[in-house]
Structures are given as C-alpha cells and as structure tokens.
Amino acid sequence: MGNFGTNISSTTSFTLTGFPEMKSLERWLAVLLLLLYAISILGNTLILFIIKEEQSLHQPMYYFLSLLSVNDLGVSFSTLPTILAAVCFQAPAIAFDTCLAQMFFIHFFSWTESGILLAMSFDRYVAICNPLCYSTVLTDTRVAHIGISIILRSFCMVFPLPFLLKRLPFCKANVLTHSYCLHPDLIRLPCEDTTINSMYGLFIVISAFGIDSVLIFLSYVLILHSVLAIASQEERLKTLNTCVSHICAVLIFYVPMVSVSMVHRFGKHAPEYVHKFMSLAYLFVPPMLNPIIYSIKTKEIRRRLRKMLLGPNL
C-alpha cells in the first residue's frame, strides 16, 4: 500500500478533457468559443477605453465598472490558453504547477467579481438612498481603498488552495473533467483524505459568495424602500432604471454559478457534456454580457460607441 500513491513530486502533469462526446461538432465548438472570447475581450477593452476617454464617466460607478471589465478580461485570459489547447489543437496536457496557477487565477477572479458587484450595489445604495452624501462618501480615495480591499480579500482567500493541494499525493488517473483547472475538479484526484480542502473550499464559498449575495440583496431592499417613497411614478422608474445594468450583472454572475452548483449536486446522472457546458456558461457568460449590457443601458457609453463606429458627425 505504501507504493500505491504517486508522490506529488512525480505528478508532473494533468490531462484536460475537451468534448469527446461531441467529436463531430468539435470544430464548430472551437469556432463558437473563439467568437465568445473575441466578444468578451473586445467588449471589455472598449469599455475601459471609453471610460478612460470620456470625462463624464470619471465617477465612482464607472470606476467600479472599469474594475469589473479588468476582472472579466482576467477571467477570459485565465481560461483561453488551455481551452484553445484542448479544444482547438488537441493538446490536452498541462503541467502540474501551471494547472495550480490557472486554478488560482480562475478562482481569484471569480471571488473578485463577487466583491466588485457588492461594491457596485453599495454605490447604487448611496446614490439613491443618500444622494446628498454621495460625493463625500464615495471619494476617489475611498473607491481606490474599496478596490484594493476587494483584491486583497480575494487573494487571501484563494492563496492557500494551491498549497493545500501540493501537500497531497496523487494516485488516481490525472484526468480533469474540464478544459481548465478548477479546485472541485482537482480535489477528486488525490489518494489521501481531502476533507481539509473540501471544508476550506466550502468556507470561502460561504464567506464570500454567500455574504456578498446577502448584502447585495439587502442593499436592493433598502433601495426599493427609498424608491417607493418617491411620489412620482416617472421618478420611480427613472431611479430604478439606474440600477438595471447592475441587477443584470448580478443575475448573469450568480445564476450560472448557482446552476453549476445545482447540476453538480443534483444532476450526477446528467451527461458529462451538460456539466461542462454549465461550467463554461459560468466562466463565459458574465465577461461576454457585462460590456453589452452596460453599452446598451449607459447613455454616455452608447454615444461614444456610436461616435467611434459612425464618425464624429453622426
């Protein structure tokens, strides 16, 4: 039994899994994934450029949007290399340390996105419930401190994960379920007890996503309470309209995440490709749709885009 486990030092690589169940459609799937990456990267880059160039967007709400776009670019670039290798070039092998690094960045950007959405909900709460204090509460310095706090929190939460995995011997076939490295996928492979890894993973999920979602919900309860106190129906709708983009961003982040958890927990007998597509939706949908939503719903961004595409005279 002592020779059964493979010591971590001899575990040099993992094998990523593409979509072998859809071999005949793999070329079209590769084209689709490349298109989604292109939309995500171009959209978020445009958002950053427009916010930088448009002076009227130099406000706390759009600083947080800039941070969200940078984070979404991070998500895209974290998964792009291995998905291209596994799906487009049929090169599924990934070095052990590279896999741990990718896992770190994917989870880091996921936790960061949750924190940014919470910060944006706080921005909307102050803007609607205490509009006279908005400029004094959300100063540029305070916005910077919030951004740094979000990044530090995510880093401190995710930092132990690679080290908790590196201490374990791997004795099972090092084949991962997805085309990228995720912590829940990796902890299936060691031949020793992974209770500590599982408990720590659950702890950071509850302490980040759980608390963030509750605080976001609470902020909107308070926002709705303030909006209902407005006498004019037109003013109510106008005020709520300033929250639509953020509500959409929250939904497209949390709904796929909850769906992935539900499928993993209750859909164990579902085909393997269902689990893979749900995980892809979780990683692809928010970075792709966030810039589209904010481009449609933000007048200044829409105007600047129209000027860039149609010329300054239109």
Side-chain angles (χ1 to χ4, degrees):
M1 287 299 290
N3 295 324
F4 181 71
T6 300
N7 189 275
I8 197 66
S9 60
S10 63
T11 305
T12 58
S13 67
F14 290 107
T15 301
L16 301 168
T17 307
F19 290 86
E21 312 90 341
M22 307 175 67
K23 196 71 178 176
S24 60
L25 299 174
E26 206 164 52
R27 182 178 297 177
W28 294 108
L29 180 62
V31 171
L32 175 62
L33 292 174
L34 288 173
L35 178 63
L36 295 178
Y37 271 121
I39 293 170
S40 173
I41 292 168
L42 178 62
N44 285 292
T45 303
L46 278 173
I47 291 288
L48 288 171
F49 175 77
I50 290 170
I51 291 174
K52 178 180 177 294
E53 295 295 318
E54 195 72 37
Q55 288 294 321
S56 61
L57 298 179
H58 292 182
Q59 303 173 32
M61 176 182 172
Y62 299 106
Y63 294 148
F64 289 131
L65 178 57
S66 297
L67 191 57
L68 184 65
S69 291
V70 170
N71 191 78
D72 285 342
L73 285 171
V75 173
S76 296
F77 286 121
S78 294
T79 57
L80 178 59
T82 53
I83 286 184
L84 283 180
V87 178
C88 301
F89 301 111
Q90 284 74 52
I94 181 172
F96 182 80
D97 288 334
T98 305
C99 188
L100 292 185
Q102 184 185 51
M103 178 204 71
F104 171 84
F105 283 111
I106 289 175
H107 291 297
F108 169 77
F109 288 122
S110 293
W111 264 257
T112 302
E113 182 137 355
S114 179
I116 295 168
L117 292 173
L118 175 58
M120 294 174 89
S121 73
F122 177 67
D123 170 270
R124 292 298 81 206
Y125 164 75
V126 176
I128 293 170
C129 299
N130 295 285
L132 297 178
C133 301
Y134 185 77
S135 58
T136 55
V137 171
L138 285 169
T139 61
D140 289 353
T141 303
R142 191 158 289 155
V143 168
H145 287 162
I146 291 172
I148 292 168
S149 300
I150 291 168
I151 293 168
L152 286 175
R153 184 192 74 160
S154 301
F155 179 84
C156 292
M157 284 183 166
V158 181
F159 184 70
L161 292 180
F163 297 99
L164 288 173
L165 278 167
K166 287 200 82 165
R167 70 187 176 85
L168 297 170
F170 284 66
C171 58
K172 300 177 183 178
N174 293 340
V175 178
L176 299 176
T177 309
H178 304 289
S179 302
Y180 38 81
C181 301
L182 297 175
H183 184 255
D185 207 8
L186 284 165
I187 61 173
R188 296 184 302 105
L189 303 180
C191 54
E192 283 191 1
D193 183 31
T194 59
T195 302
I196 294 175
N197 300 67
S198 298
M199 293 302 293
Y200 183 73
L202 181 62
F203 165 73
I204 58 177
V205 165
I206 293 172
S207 60
F209 294 142
I211 293 174
D212 289 356
S213 58
V214 168
L215 291 175
I216 290 170
F217 176 76
L218 179 61
S219 69
Y220 273 101
V221 169
L222 297 173
I223 286 170
L224 191 60
H225 182 264
S226 293
V227 168
L228 291 175
I230 300 173
S232 166
Q233 173 110 14
E234 185 180 346
E235 283 299 313
R236 285 184 195 170
L237 292 175
K238 185 178 177 181
T239 303
L240 283 175
N241 192 50
T242 64
C243 300
V244 170
S245 299
H246 178 255
I247 292 171
C248 291
V250 169
L251 290 176
I252 65 175
F253 176 74
Y254 281 104
V255 170
M257 183 186 69
V258 172
S259 300
V260 168
S261 299
M262 296 293 284
V263 167
H264 274 290
R265 184 173 294 271
F266 300 110
K268 296 185 187 296
H269 300 295
E272 192 67 45
Y273 65 82
V274 172
H275 294 265
K276 293 178 183 178
F277 273 118
M278 293 301 296
S279 295
L280 280 175
Y282 168 55
L283 291 171
F284 271 88
V285 170
M288 183 187 66
L289 289 186
N290 282 336
I292 295 173
I293 290 167
Y294 278 94
S295 297
I296 292 171
K297 294 300 298 178
T298 307
K299 183 174 64 178
E300 293 85 355
I301 294 177
R302 203 166 57 240
R303 186 176 63 238
R304 184 77 185 204
L305 269 175
R306 194 160 49 238
K307 189 187 294 185
M308 289 169 63
L309 295 172
L310 303 176
N313 297 321
L314 293 174

